[in-house]
Amino acid sequence: MPGLFYSVVLILIHCSGGVQPLSDYEYQGEDFMVVFFAEFNQPSNPDKFNFLYIHSEKEGTCVLDYKVSRYSRARIKQHEILHPGRTIRAALPEVIQESLHSQITQKGVHVHCTVPVILYTLSRKQGTSNVYHGIPYKSLGTDYLIPGALNNALLAAAGVDANTVINVHIKTKCTYMYRNTTVKDGRKFTITLDKGDVFQLSREYVDYFGDQQCDLAGSYLTGSKPFAVFAGASCLFLANSTTGNGCDEGVIQVPPPTLWGKDFLVSDMAGQTNGYRLRIVASEDNTTTRIHEYDYGSFATSRDVHFALNKGDVHTEMYKRNTYLVIENTKPVFIMQYLTSDPMTVIVTPIDRFPTIDANTSHYIFATMEANKSGSEEMYVSLIVGTNNTDGVRLDGKPVAVSWAHVPLLGFSVGHLNVSYGSHLLNSVSPHTPGAVQVYGMSTRQGEAWGYSAISTCSVNCEDLSTDVGHLFGDSALGYYVNQIFNVVGSDASASQCLGTCDSLMNSALTKSICPKICPSFTFYIRKYIYKSP
């Protein structure tokens, strides 16, 4: 395995005290329901691993509750000990993995911890791997839109409470089978799930070259109680004459639309040469999307396009290497980024949901996933940080040596960094450093890739910089406050100048809570509310 690459995309955060956040805090919790899915390749003696990576800032324990046989009611309760500031890895047996059949099983894995944790799943065997971050019970919804996949698409729902009634509405060009009944475009049906039940809709054979383009994008599910939703592909094939051949599992846990966003900055991926693919899913009708494409090192757009989407519509497009995108939408959307040669899927974090990191109250601890045992390994960090804060970024306590590319009119910079295998801590000695983190890896020899969006340690005690203050105050009110600050400090103010002016202008604790949110990314908010883009 001479080329096993692991990359991490950083988008940074700050926390200190008050408003309940809607981003990273929403991905920390005590209870999760996770599911492990089948890969396209099922040998008779699979070298297959299922892992949970669990990070906690406090001492505690977790209990992993799952069934080991469909023929028995017996459940395993696997106990794991948590240590402050550390990430543990818990191995799970092969029997918990779903098959490729459309069915209802009892293969949900309930994770209950005594303290808030951040959780990721890893499923791996030779030739394929997949990682996604878990969404805790408290952040689950009752309404979901399915982002789908270009081919070999599947969707799944897992119950977290008894007697959860779910209405399923299918959108697809292909035919699926469920309980000996044909499921095709426009089909509606109802399922009932108890805690730990998993409903899966999947084709029972794999289209290895993606010719049938079986997608489920735009399908939607509504439930009588909150439940967990998963979507993706058992064998995601994105190859063409440029990228070559590649097929890999690509499944995520789908966040409800309340966690989607309007504005995005998309970085290129390190460790590969074939560019990347992007998929945008609209949550509402009459959504206008504008994409500004930039070449690294250029302050001029190489392409500027816009289009309209309705609820459930998707836009999928390929982008070349060494480009980054600024994407603006009039209504919330969900965006997934795909590595193309050996496909993997990463959720893109909205700019207005960026938290911030500093030296004390919030940081990222991320881990590259379990490596195959043969061959060399390379890991990368791709950084998106506030341009005024790049000198303060620290990885494992040391300054980062990055060649930064500045993003016009946004106040952010993009860069890549090679890191060693294992766990790493990312923070900043500069206060109020906005950003986010994505971790991804690939092995050209083993033909596998995986990726995930990392979650910061920002807790409920942090000052909420991940709250979407536009939702809290409304866009018109937030625009008014931004205009007030802009009229005093102009467009070139530092974060400290903005914070001082903002604090003096705001006359209540609630409005003052805006200041540490908007000032680290003031250039972005000027573009959004003063120059009114899109």
Side-chain angles (χ1 to χ4, degrees):
M1 187 172 54
L4 179 57
F5 305 94
Y6 301 93
S7 311
V8 183
V9 180
L10 301 170
I11 308 173
L12 311 178
I13 316 171
H14 165 76
C15 303
S16 55
V19 184
Q20 183 177 2
L22 289 173
S23 180
D24 279 8
Y25 172 70
E26 293 299 307
Y27 288 102
Q28 300 177 49
E30 292 85 14
D31 288 278
F32 298 79
M33 186 67 70
V34 298
V35 181
F36 290 86
F37 293 89
E39 289 87 359
F40 63 90
N41 183 21
Q42 296 291 314
S44 57
N45 294 304
D47 179 19
K48 170 71 170 59
F49 303 94
N50 298 308
F51 294 112
L52 291 175
Y53 285 74
I54 304 173
H55 177 79
S56 174
E57 290 292 287
K58 300 178 180 179
E59 184 176 351
T61 60
C62 290
V63 177
L64 318 183
D65 185 349
Y66 54 88
K67 287 186 67 174
V68 294
S69 172
R70 63 178 178 174
Y71 304 108
S72 170
R73 293 184 179 181
R75 303 188 67 87
I76 296 294
K77 294 186 181 294
Q78 180 174 326
H79 294 258
E80 303 289 344
I81 297 175
L82 302 174
H83 303 282
R86 292 179 58 185
T87 301
I88 67 166
R89 187 190 71 185
L92 294 167
E94 179 77 13
V95 70
I96 66 168
Q97 180 186 334
E98 291 285 334
S99 69
L100 287 176
H101 299 285
S102 295
Q103 59 187 342
I104 293 179
T105 69
Q106 291 75 48
K107 292 190 175 183
V109 179
H110 177 211
V111 180
H112 172 71
C113 303
T114 57
V115 294
V117 302
I118 299 167
L119 180 145
Y120 305 95
T121 73
L122 166 67
S123 56
R124 158 169 280 153
K125 67 180 177 187
Q126 184 172 353
T128 183
S129 58
N130 186 70
V131 175
Y132 66 80
H133 63 70
I135 300 174
Y137 280 16
K138 68 180 183 182
S139 302
L140 299 177
T142 57
D143 299 272
Y144 291 90
L145 277 164
I146 301 301
L150 287 174
N151 41 65
N152 294 305
L154 62 82
L155 66 82
V160 302
D161 200 355
N163 196 34
T164 301
V165 179
I166 300 172
N167 297 306
V168 182
H169 305 255
I170 296 300
K171 183 177 180 180
T172 184
K173 64 167 58 177
C174 291
T175 298
Y176 290 76
M177 296 296 296
Y178 173 61
R179 292 186 171 176
N180 298 317
T181 302
T182 299
V183 177
K184 57 184 180 180
D185 188 53
R187 176 72 191 278
K188 303 176 184 179
F189 57 96
T190 300
I191 58 174
T192 301
L193 301 179
D194 288 328
K195 180 179 177 180
D197 286 353
V198 178
F199 161 74
Q200 179 180 244
L201 187 68
S202 173
R203 291 167 70 86
E204 297 185 7
Y205 65 90
V206 171
D207 173 18
Y208 285 102
F209 298 101
D211 297 331
Q212 298 182 24
Q213 299 181 349
C214 288
D215 201 343
L216 287 165
S219 300
Y220 63 98
L221 293 80
T222 61
S224 60
K225 302 176 182 179
F227 60 104
V229 169
F230 307 84
S234 59
C235 177
L236 183 61
F237 185 86
L238 300 176
N240 57 37
S241 58
T242 300
T243 63
N245 294 321
C247 176
D248 212 341
E249 179 189 354
V251 178
I252 61 168
Q253 183 167 358
V254 181
T258 52
L259 296 180
W260 296 12
K262 296 180 181 178
D263 303 281
F264 299 81
L265 174 56
V266 182
S267 169
D268 190 13
M269 293 181 172
Q272 53 85 44
T273 61
N274 296 322
Y276 57 94
R277 195 181 298 257
L278 216 66
R279 170 165 281 202
I280 302 172
V281 188
S283 65
E284 300 179 30
D285 290 339
N286 303 313
T287 299
T288 299
T289 297
R290 178 169 293 169
I291 301 177
H292 312 274
E293 182 177 349
Y294 297 89
D295 295 325
Y296 275 83
S298 172
F299 284 84
T301 55
S302 59
R303 192 166 57 133
D304 193 351
V305 299
H306 67 275
F307 48 85
L309 297 171
N310 286 323
K311 181 178 180 179
D313 287 350
V314 299
H315 176 82
T316 306
E317 190 166 348
M318 181 74 188
Y319 294 93
K320 63 183 180 180
R321 185 189 181 194
N322 293 329
T323 61
Y324 57 89
L325 310 174
V326 176
I327 303 176
E328 299 162 315
N329 304 272
T330 56
K331 298 178 181 180
V333 304
F334 182 68
I335 298 183
M336 296 183 297
Q337 186 176 11
Y338 302 100
L339 184 73
T340 53
S341 54
D342 287 305
M344 62 87 173
T345 307
V346 175
I347 298 172
V348 181
T349 303
I351 295 174
D352 55 5
R353 294 283 171 83
F354 284 3
T356 69
I357 57 172
D358 57 26
N360 301 306
T361 57
S362 181
H363 53 262
Y364 284 101
I365 291 182
F366 57 85
T368 57
M369 297 293 106
E370 173 73 9
N372 285 305
K373 295 181 179 179
S374 61
S376 61
E377 297 140 15
E378 295 183 25
M379 282 65 78
Y380 296 91
V381 176
S382 300
L383 307 162
I384 303 177
V385 301
T387 298
N388 293 332
N389 306 97
T390 54
D391 290 343
V393 176
R394 298 291 185 269
L395 183 65
D396 300 327
K398 299 178 181 180
V400 296
V402 173
S403 178
W404 298 103
H406 304 302
V407 182
L409 300 178
L410 277 189
F412 289 97
S413 294
V414 177
H416 302 290
L417 182 69
N418 182 261
V419 297
S420 60
Y421 177 74
S423 295
H424 299 277
L425 186 147
L426 182 90
N427 62 2
S428 176
V429 297
S430 301
H432 313 304
T433 300
V437 178
Q438 296 172 336
V439 185
Y440 56 94
M442 53 190 149
S443 169
T444 53
R445 178 172 178 178
Q446 297 294 332
E448 65 177 52
W450 52 264
Y452 68 92
S453 294
I455 307 300
S456 80
T457 60
C458 180
S459 72
V460 71
N461 297 319
C462 293
E463 183 175 70
D464 169 39
L465 295 188
S466 56
T467 294
D468 185 345
V469 290
H471 288 172
L472 184 63
F473 294 94
D475 273 348
S476 60
L478 183 58
Y480 170 77
Y481 296 135
V482 171
N483 191 70
Q484 278 192 305
I485 302 168
F486 175 79
N487 287 338
V488 176
V489 301
S491 60
D492 297 324
S494 67
S496 297
Q497 291 172 323
C498 174
L499 284 165
T501 301
C502 181
D503 188 69
S504 65
L505 289 174
M506 302 304 151
N507 55 16
S508 72
L510 182 60
T511 54
K512 287 179 185 292
S513 69
I514 290 176
C515 302
K517 167 63 181 177
I518 65 176
C519 286
S521 306
F522 193 51
T523 305
F524 162 71
Y525 285 99
I526 291 173
R527 177 186 177 93
K528 185 175 178 67
Y529 292 105
I530 304 299
Y531 302 135
K532 299 185 185 303
S533 180

